Amino acid sequence: MAMKKTIITNVCVLIFISSFAQFGGGIGTESDPYRIYTIAHLEEIGDSLDNGNNMYNKHFRLMNDIIDDSLTNMIGNTYGVGFCGSLHGGNHSIALNMTNDIYGNTYSALFGQVGQVGFAGYIDSLTVVGEISATNISGFCIDNYGTIYKCVCKIRLNNNDFGGFSGIAFGNYGSINSCVNYTNSTRLECGGICYRMWDESNIKSCINYGHLKSAGVIVSGICAWVDCSYYSCTISDCVNYGDISVANDGYDSEDYQSCGGIVGAFFGGDENARVKIINCQNYGKISLERSYWIGGIAGFLQGVVSVEQCSNYGEVIGKYNVGGIVGCYTGNDSIWIMGVGYTYQKGRLVNCYNSGHIHGDSIVGGIAGTFASLC
């Protein structure tokens, strides 16, 4: 009997020690979060995600800068569960040192996914630094289904590949708020805050200082590609200070080149796909060596898009469809509704201001190069 009591006691002590020693302390609640001190603690989060635990409703607190050592592998991945907990950065920094891995993964970021369908993750008050050499690069995550708040990207890119770059999230399905990008990039496709945003997502109060140069397709200071096909999405109160350009290095086609201080392009959707770009400003130089669509705020907009209270103060230089606010705006098309007849979509461009110098060979305007119905 004494032997059994000793065994039971030892097991209980081991369970207590292991639960207490997880990460750097804490129990994972908002008031007593798991404490993160080292790369090993970050890798523990990755191990949990790889084992199918999405950390839903668990809280983590970064206790210090982790810059003497670097994170060499992304936390989680782009095809499993996402990080559905809350990581509070405490205004500290994490160093990254990543490349394409041996399994052929061409994406590199701090997290593979923040949140997942049906579960929202959260990151705040964190800066990423270090160097990344990979095909598709983002500072904080490849796909964001949650909220990223007050985060800063200061990574360095040590290769110029024909991939993509985004400072905060490569694809945004959720909310990006009050984030800043300082990283410079020369890649095929670039977005200072995110590369592509999807239905019901939003970007608010974000700033880009990075100089972004596309090798020939699409680039923007805030979001390169807006892909809201069925529901609304919004970009508001954002500012670009970086120089944004397209050089056509090794890319011959002009068909889809688009460049803007805030948005590269939005290629329409159905009548419910309403995009709003509100109270945004551009101060950077926007230029294309040869172009189809270039604007101080947006390159190309098609469909139900409202651009309101936006201003451009930067120089805009292009070839065709060059505008101080929008290079080419085609929207407000008549659509037939059964029992109603023809009605018009309610996109608009209102209360916008340009003081930048606008240069182009043809189809050039202080506000819009082309402003027309698609029909």
Side-chain angles (χ1 to χ4, degrees):
M1 181 64 70
M3 179 68 73
K4 290 183 178 179
K5 287 183 178 178
T6 301
I7 293 172
I8 292 171
T9 301
N10 289 339
V11 169
C12 291
V13 169
L14 287 171
I15 291 173
F16 173 78
I17 291 173
S18 64
S19 63
F20 179 80
Q22 190 174 22
F23 303 106
I27 59 174
T29 63
E30 187 171 5
S31 60
D32 188 13
Y34 291 127
R35 291 161 178 77
I36 304 298
Y37 292 94
T38 66
I39 289 293
H41 294 153
L42 292 172
E43 290 172 342
E44 283 187 54
I45 300 175
D47 291 341
S48 295
L49 297 179
D50 291 342
N51 289 324
N53 179 6
N54 67 10
M55 297 295 191
Y56 176 68
N57 209 30
K58 297 297 183 183
H59 289 260
F60 300 80
R61 177 83 178 186
L62 190 63
M63 305 304 295
N64 48 253
D65 292 340
I66 305 177
I67 55 176
D68 293 332
D69 195 4
S70 299
L71 190 67
T72 57
N73 293 305
M74 191 163 60
I75 301 174
N77 51 62
T78 58
Y79 50 82
V81 301
F83 173 73
C84 300
S86 295
L87 175 60
H88 308 289
N91 296 315
H92 293 299
S93 298
I94 294 174
L96 309 179
N97 182 10
M98 299 177 180
T99 61
N100 290 346
D101 65 30
I102 60 174
Y103 303 105
N105 178 29
T106 62
Y107 291 91
S108 290
L110 177 62
F111 285 93
Q113 300 175 76
V114 173
Q116 63 189 68
V117 176
F119 296 89
Y122 180 83
I123 302 176
D124 74 72
S125 309
L126 180 63
T127 297
V128 290
V129 297
E131 293 188 359
I132 297 183
S133 174
T135 304
N136 297 298
I137 297 170
S138 185
F140 287 86
C141 64
I142 302 305
D143 290 321
N144 172 46
Y145 293 90
T147 297
I148 303 176
Y149 177 61
K150 286 190 174 179
C151 289
V152 180
C153 179
K154 290 185 175 181
I155 59 176
R156 297 182 303 276
L157 310 185
N158 55 15
N159 70 328
N160 293 322
D161 205 340
F162 279 87
F165 165 76
S166 58
I168 306 299
F170 207 77
N172 182 37
Y173 300 81
S175 177
I176 302 175
N177 191 343
S178 303
C179 294
V180 182
N181 173 60
Y182 289 94
T183 297
N184 301 322
S185 173
T186 300
R187 306 182 79 77
L188 189 61
E189 302 165 315
C190 306
I193 299 300
C194 80
Y195 167 65
R196 199 164 192 163
M197 63 186 297
W198 303 84
D199 287 318
E200 299 184 296
S201 64
N202 66 82
I203 301 173
K204 179 178 174 62
S205 302
C206 292
I207 301 174
N208 174 61
Y209 291 100
H211 300 308
L212 308 176
K213 186 175 184 179
S214 169
V217 182
I218 190 167
V219 60
S220 175
I222 301 298
C223 178
W225 191 288
V226 179
D227 197 346
C228 301
S229 300
Y230 302 103
Y231 301 100
S232 299
C233 50
T234 302
I235 299 175
S236 60
D237 305 306
C238 293
V239 184
N240 173 63
Y241 291 101
D243 292 338
I244 311 297
S245 61
V246 174
N248 304 303
D249 296 336
Y251 192 86
D252 295 329
S253 174
E254 296 180 347
D255 293 344
Y256 298 104
Q257 292 170 6
S258 188
C259 182
I262 303 299
V263 170
F266 168 66
F267 286 93
D270 71 9
E271 64 271 18
N272 295 313
R274 303 180 184 278
V275 175
K276 294 182 179 180
I277 306 171
I278 301 173
N279 194 33
C280 294
Q281 293 84 42
N282 172 65
Y283 293 88
K285 179 180 178 180
I286 315 297
S287 60
L288 278 77
E289 292 180 2
R290 48 179 191 165
S291 70
Y292 269 58
W293 308 300
I294 177 171
I297 298 298
F300 182 90
L301 299 174
Q302 173 187 303
V304 190
V305 186
S306 293
V307 183
E308 305 176 22
Q309 288 88 49
C310 290
S311 304
N312 174 62
Y313 304 94
E315 185 177 25
V316 182
I317 305 171
K319 190 173 182 180
Y320 308 121
N321 291 302
V322 186
I325 301 298
V326 180
C328 181
Y329 181 107
T330 59
N332 300 320
D333 292 310
S334 60
I335 55 175
W336 175 263
I337 298 178
M338 186 67 69
V340 176
Y342 281 105
T343 185
Y344 285 85
Q345 302 179 70
K346 300 186 184 302
R348 62 181 188 168
L349 205 165
V350 63
N351 291 340
C352 293
Y353 172 82
N354 170 63
S355 68
H357 295 287
I358 315 300
H359 310 270
D361 291 349
S362 63
I363 319 177
V364 181
I367 298 297
T370 294
F371 185 81
S373 166
L374 186 62
C375 297

